[in-house]
Amino acid sequence: MFRRRTGASVAVAVAVAALVSGCGIRTTSVPVDAGAAPSRVPCRLSPSDVASASPEGASAKVYLVCASQLVTVERPVERGAASGDPAAVARALLAEAQRAPSAGERRAGFSTAVPVGLRVAAARDDDPAGTVRLSSQPEDLSAEALAQLVCTYAESETLVRDGSVVLGGPGTYPPRGYLCTAQTKARPGDLVTTPDAAGLD
């Protein structure tokens, strides 16, 4: 009886092996990395979730994080964001980058990495024109938060200087220029800096 069961088991194993080889599937003992699973996050708002303009009719593009990339959403902003005062523009745009995504934005996969406690500080007399001083050193922010700010500020002509956004912190370090490139939007950790902004005209 034992031998008959053993023979049946061997026959079943041979049949399974034949089926696998017949399907063209090769077995392997080496783990195969097929890459990350495709994202199902749309990163796009439905028409009903798009925010309406503010009473003043002002709106701005704000970069949020979605599927490990930076994607813009249109946000109504305060009148200060449309003024020519760099500090007022920087404060208004920072507030939008900090604001928690709406329910519709969350459904589309958006989030923000900009810390709520971050503030725009007063610029110094020897800062290059258009410099935005933050309450934290820019390099101390997470890569996503800094990239969000730089790309959001880069959408404003008031805050762009020689193609870059000039940011500084509360310390004695000189401000630096930052670029928002296509690579930055695709990989927020690959933020590009320009030479020391103190030497710019």
Side-chain angles (χ1 to χ4, degrees):
M1 179 67 70
F2 178 79
R3 290 181 179 178
R4 289 179 182 177
R5 289 182 178 178
T6 302
S9 300
V10 171
V12 171
V14 171
V16 171
L19 287 174
V20 171
S21 61
C23 293
I25 301 174
R26 295 182 179 179
T27 59
T28 176
S29 60
V30 179
V32 177
D33 183 6
S39 174
R40 295 184 180 180
V41 178
C43 295
R44 182 179 300 175
L45 293 175
S46 64
S48 61
D49 289 329
V50 176
S52 58
S54 65
E56 294 82 7
S59 64
K61 290 182 178 179
V62 176
Y63 281 84
L64 299 178
V65 179
C66 190
S68 301
Q69 301 181 4
L70 296 185
V71 184
T72 56
V73 296
E74 198 80 16
R75 289 268 185 87
V77 292
E78 300 176 359
R79 185 177 300 175
S83 71
D85 177 21
V89 173
R91 288 191 188 96
L93 294 179
L94 171 60
E96 287 304 318
Q98 290 172 318
R99 186 159 62 87
S102 65
E105 290 169 344
R106 290 195 302 272
R107 283 194 296 270
F110 290 100
S111 64
T112 182
V114 181
V116 175
L118 189 65
R119 296 288 181 267
V120 173
R124 301 176 182 175
D125 293 338
D126 57 347
D127 281 343
T131 296
V132 176
R133 287 274 178 181
L134 301 173
S135 58
S136 296
Q137 200 65 26
E139 295 81 5
D140 291 339
L141 300 174
S142 69
E144 291 81 6
L146 182 55
Q148 271 188 258
L149 269 185
V150 169
C151 288
T152 298
Y153 284 168
E155 294 288 338
S156 171
E157 294 182 359
T158 304
L159 301 179
V160 176
R161 188 163 179 272
D162 294 335
S164 64
V165 174
V166 182
L167 300 178
T172 58
Y173 301 103
R176 301 177 66 182
Y178 297 86
L179 298 175
C180 177
T181 65
Q183 182 177 355
T184 302
K185 297 173 186 177
R187 298 174 61 89
D190 294 343
L191 193 62
V192 180
T193 60
T194 62
D196 191 345
L200 300 175
D201 293 330

